[in-house]
Amino acid sequence: MTNVSLGRYVPYNSFIHRMDARNKIFCLIALMVAVFISYPTYEITFIVGGAFAVFVFALLMISHVSVKDIFKSLRVLWFFIIVLLIINIFIPPRDASNVAFAMGSVNVYWEAIFQSLKIILRLVLMIELTMILTATTKPLDLTYGLEWYLTPLKLIKFPAHEVAMTISIALRFIPTLLDETDRIMKAQSSRGVDFKHGKISSRLKAIVSLIIPLFISAFQRSEELADSMEARGYDPKAKRTRYHILRFSLNDLFTFLLVGAIMSGTIILSHYEFNLQTQSFIPWYCLILICIFIYVIIVGIIDATRRKA
Amino acid sequence: MKLIEVNNLVFSYDKKINVVDGVSFSVESGKYISIIGHNGSGKSTIAKLLIGLLEANKDSIKAFDMELNAKNLRAIRQRVGIVFQNPDNQFVGSTVRDDIAFGLENRQIPHDQMDDIINKFAAKVNMLDFLDKEPENLSGGQKQRVAIAGILAMNPDVIIFDEATSMLDPKGKREVRESIELMRKENPNLSIISITHDLEEAFSSDEVIVLQKGKIVADDNPENILEKPGIFVESGVDLPFKNKFLNLLSQAGIEIKNDESLERIVEELCR
């Protein structure tokens, strides 16, 4: 529980770490839009999805997120994967016509399997993209980035700074609260509470014995943190200077354009009806792959040069 | 010079029982005051009242010639810092550097001066090598030293330690105590109010205030306080082992000087 990877900042000086937090937020949203775009055929969905998977994996490597952490972050998905498979198998898509195999009286369609895989791929990519953002951006920088985007809403009295600060503190306290959960679980287990075995009703009772002390502790922590912040002169309404100043560099411009190109490329792609048999698809696919590889190589070279320096 | 004056301070959480009941004392420049008492005696409440986290009764707290009220709160907080008990719950930044910077940002210190201030005060508490570490990678003592650096960076005249060592292991306690000693050596005008259960720590201060049920039962220098062990029994505070031991020896007719170390006392007894 103590080494949960999702939402944890990984200190390193990579190219992505040095990017402007505002640009990283834009890139995350743009790439998520690109990932969630629907394509006319399953072939193109999986080819683009696969290319995205390679791209995201390369970004994770550049960010120095360990492979172990990547797998750990995906552990939460198991439950969704099973539920999705069950739903899609028993309620297949309307256009389902190709039977893959039969389970007793129930036919399992290829379309249902593809539909599940498509959603799983999207979820995995979404989690990993978020992981890149949180692993390479300090919570405080993230706050500044979010606040920058929310600034126009200040005109309608939206508490932009307060919202951004709340998110930043929530991110900062994820590991602390996970440690606390672990401690309470151990304490309750030592008193005979079994979280892993038994009927659902008894396991629910066990979870209640975890949640109540956890909530009490979280409220106490938040009160003490508020006292500490106030005592250190924090006033959300008052003017503050900033230790971290966000700077939009040339690297940021480059990635901004590249991500913009990827997003618009996927939007264009979603309007063309081609599949693997369509001749015109091959150059497009090659172009996407070449772009990704060029990007990864350039970033790798920049990173290596900076590290040497 | 009196920095803080507390006069007939009264406070109640439920408007029925006074947690702090008619407390009066003053904090002079460069003084180290310890406030001791059993759980629920009102020690931490006094700390929160002094920093304005709880609202005190009218005209009861005067700090730097200003009444502690909503109008002067900001100005007073710029000169009084507080280190709380739980090191985890006062770490706002994602790294040591960011956490020290948090107070500076609130004080509107210009960005270009921040790095120098952070480095200077991190060095003072021996945390210069940990500037980019996250709170999860620090021990309790280290986190508490970061909190001290964060407060010192705000250049206060008074620092309140609200049971700042109670959640730490012996090593962490020693580290924090050493940081306090160094602070006092470097800035003799810095006043410290230490709210503590640790009597050994309390007896290294200039003045000890003993609280019982929200009232002051003793306010004197440590030597005079130690001469009245009954105060500790009444207020539910346990004497340090050495003093307890010496009192028992004294009752048995063996007189040994109080300023001897425990090892020397044992040697003396063996002889």
Side-chain angles (χ1 to χ4, degrees):
Chain A
M1 196 71 78
T2 49
N3 46 8
V4 165
S5 46
L6 195 65
R8 177 173 287 192
Y9 173 67
V10 181
Y12 197 74
N13 190 23
S14 77
F15 161 73
I16 306 171
H17 281 79
R18 285 190 298 272
M19 271 171 69
D20 188 325
R22 293 166 296 182
N23 191 30
K24 274 191 257 190
I25 295 170
F26 164 80
C27 291
L28 173 81
I29 294 167
L31 288 173
M32 274 196 186
V33 169
V35 163
F36 275 83
I37 281 174
S38 280
Y39 301 99
T41 61
Y42 283 115
E43 289 97 326
I44 190 110
T45 303
F46 287 115
I47 287 165
V48 174
F52 264 117
V54 174
F55 178 62
V56 169
F57 187 73
L59 292 179
L60 283 165
M61 291 296 100
I62 292 167
S63 314
H64 278 253
V65 177
S66 71
V67 179
K68 209 170 118 189
D69 281 349
I70 298 170
F71 280 107
K72 265 191 215 160
S73 69
L74 295 177
R75 268 199 306 207
V76 288
L77 273 183
W78 281 116
F79 178 72
F80 291 104
I81 291 173
I82 291 163
V83 171
L84 264 174
L85 281 173
I86 293 169
I87 291 174
N88 276 324
I89 285 167
F90 288 103
I91 313 163
R94 275 185 196 170
D95 59 340
S97 54
N98 303 308
V99 179
F101 57 92
M103 283 197 321
S105 59
V106 181
N107 283 333
V108 179
Y109 294 93
W110 277 117
E111 285 82 355
I113 295 171
F114 288 152
Q115 183 71 12
S116 310
L117 288 176
K118 189 173 93 177
I119 298 169
I120 291 163
L121 185 68
R122 283 176 178 177
L123 282 176
V124 169
L125 288 173
M126 191 182 78
I127 287 182
E128 296 315 316
L129 281 168
T130 316
M131 196 176 177
I132 294 169
L133 178 76
T134 52
T136 61
T137 320
K138 287 178 188 165
L140 219 58
D141 286 343
L142 208 57
T143 312
Y144 295 155
L146 285 171
E147 198 181 336
W148 188 83
Y149 281 108
L150 296 174
T151 306
L153 297 178
K154 281 183 182 170
L155 289 172
I156 53 163
K157 307 264 180 211
F158 182 79
H161 170 73
E162 286 89 328
V163 169
M165 183 56 102
T166 310
I167 294 169
S168 142
I169 288 171
L171 287 172
R172 141 80 186 90
F173 271 85
I174 287 173
T176 311
L177 288 176
L178 286 171
D179 283 349
E180 185 84 358
T181 311
D182 196 34
R183 229 188 335 262
I184 296 169
M185 276 176 92
K186 279 179 186 156
Q188 302 293 47
S189 300
S190 72
R191 292 185 180 100
V193 177
D194 191 351
F195 291 98
K196 288 178 184 164
H197 307 102
K199 287 180 194 167
I200 292 179
S201 60
S202 57
R203 280 167 74 179
L204 274 175
K205 270 185 197 165
I207 288 171
V208 170
S209 76
L210 166 72
I211 287 174
I212 291 174
L214 187 65
F215 265 80
I216 292 171
S217 151
F219 282 123
Q220 275 172 352
R221 276 182 193 281
S222 61
E223 202 182 323
E224 282 179 30
L225 183 76
D227 280 351
S228 167
M229 288 169 75
E230 213 181 311
R232 283 161 79 180
Y234 177 70
D235 178 359
K237 301 273 182 293
K239 267 193 176 177
R240 303 174 77 226
T241 49
R242 281 187 174 174
Y243 179 52
H244 291 281
I245 291 181
L246 302 174
R247 285 193 180 91
F248 199 85
S249 65
L250 202 65
N251 283 343
D252 287 304
L253 181 68
F254 173 68
T255 40
F256 178 81
L257 292 174
L258 188 91
V259 169
I262 291 174
M263 190 177 72
S264 33
T266 48
I267 292 170
I268 294 166
L269 216 58
S270 67
H271 286 83
Y272 284 95
E273 283 209 17
F274 39 43
N275 53 39
L276 276 178
Q277 277 78 45
T278 315
Q279 291 279 311
S280 62
F281 170 74
I282 297 162
W284 277 101
Y285 183 52
C286 292
L287 191 70
I288 293 168
L289 282 181
I290 289 165
C291 281
I292 292 166
F293 283 123
I294 291 173
Y295 174 75
V296 172
I297 289 164
I298 291 172
V299 166
I301 291 169
I302 295 171
D303 203 34
T305 333
R306 290 269 172 104
R307 240 181 292 165
K308 246 186 183 178
Chain B
M1 194 178 108
K2 281 180 184 171
L3 301 182
I4 298 177
E5 276 187 271
V6 179
N7 266 314
N8 195 27
L9 179 64
V10 179
F11 183 80
S12 168
Y13 285 102
D14 56 4
K15 306 219 163 138
K16 285 176 194 161
I17 301 161
N18 287 340
V19 183
V20 178
D21 196 1
V23 166
S24 302
F25 66 94
S26 61
V27 182
E28 282 173 34
S29 176
K31 268 270 174 101
Y32 183 1
I33 298 174
S34 290
I35 303 179
I36 57 172
H38 63 89
N39 286 338
S41 59
K43 307 184 299 291
S44 293
T45 306
I46 290 178
K48 286 184 178 173
L49 287 163
L50 288 178
I51 196 91
L53 293 171
L54 295 173
E55 204 178 326
N57 52 320
K58 216 178 165 215
D59 300 335
S60 57
I61 301 176
K62 208 172 164 190
F64 313 101
D65 297 323
M66 292 179 272
E67 287 300 331
L68 179 64
N69 53 30
K71 197 179 135 204
N72 299 324
L73 192 60
R74 204 173 160 80
I76 291 173
R77 275 190 188 154
Q78 291 200 347
R79 301 180 69 177
V80 183
I82 184 163
V83 178
F84 288 99
Q85 185 178 20
N86 191 333
D88 266 323
N89 299 351
Q90 48 193 324
F91 210 109
V92 186
S94 53
T95 59
V96 171
R97 195 187 287 280
D98 292 341
D99 194 64
I100 301 175
F102 179 75
L104 301 177
E105 291 175 325
N106 298 334
R107 291 278 299 267
Q108 295 181 45
I109 303 291
H111 169 261
D112 51 348
Q113 291 173 23
M114 283 192 195
D115 263 326
D116 290 339
I117 299 174
I118 292 167
N119 290 341
K120 183 180 160 192
F121 289 99
K124 284 198 178 187
V125 294
N126 272 333
M127 289 300 289
L128 201 55
D129 297 334
F130 300 88
L131 279 178
D132 291 311
K133 294 266 180 205
E134 300 161 284
E136 300 89 70
N137 302 324
L138 301 174
S139 69
Q142 286 172 330
K143 278 181 221 171
Q144 210 60 313
R145 271 151 58 199
V146 174
I148 294 173
I151 298 297
L152 281 178
M154 293 166 78
N155 199 19
D157 294 302
V158 180
I159 301 185
I160 303 169
F161 289 92
D162 184 5
E163 298 187 39
T165 57
S166 66
M167 286 183 82
L168 307 180
D169 57 13
K171 189 174 170 255
K173 280 185 186 178
R174 201 173 52 243
E175 286 171 357
V176 172
R177 271 191 217 152
E178 279 167 7
S179 300
I180 296 174
E181 276 165 30
L182 192 78
M183 252 158 45
R184 294 194 73 207
K185 227 180 252 176
E186 287 191 354
N187 183 4
N189 290 326
L190 180 71
S191 304
I192 291 173
I193 303 172
S194 175
I195 283 148
T196 183
H197 277 289
D198 187 344
L199 288 198
E200 280 177 36
E201 186 189 320
F203 290 130
S204 63
S205 56
D206 303 319
E207 184 182 337
V208 179
I209 295 173
V210 186
L211 278 181
Q212 191 190 350
K213 290 181 185 167
K215 287 188 170 126
I216 293 180
V217 289
D219 181 358
D220 213 331
N221 61 48
E223 293 77 29
N224 290 344
I225 294 262
L226 271 172
E227 281 173 11
K228 304 165 202 161
I231 291 170
F232 297 101
V233 180
E234 275 172 35
S235 56
V237 179
D238 222 14
L239 266 175
F241 173 74
K242 193 179 93 179
N243 300 82
K244 239 195 241 177
F245 187 53
L246 285 175
N247 282 345
L248 285 172
L249 287 177
S250 170
Q251 281 167 20
I254 306 165
E255 294 295 337
I256 295 174
K257 265 195 239 162
N258 191 12
D259 50 357
E260 302 282 6
S261 72
L262 209 57
E263 289 79 14
R264 290 276 303 149
I265 294 169
V266 174
E267 269 176 33
E268 193 81 12
L269 273 176
C270 290
R271 246 186 272 149

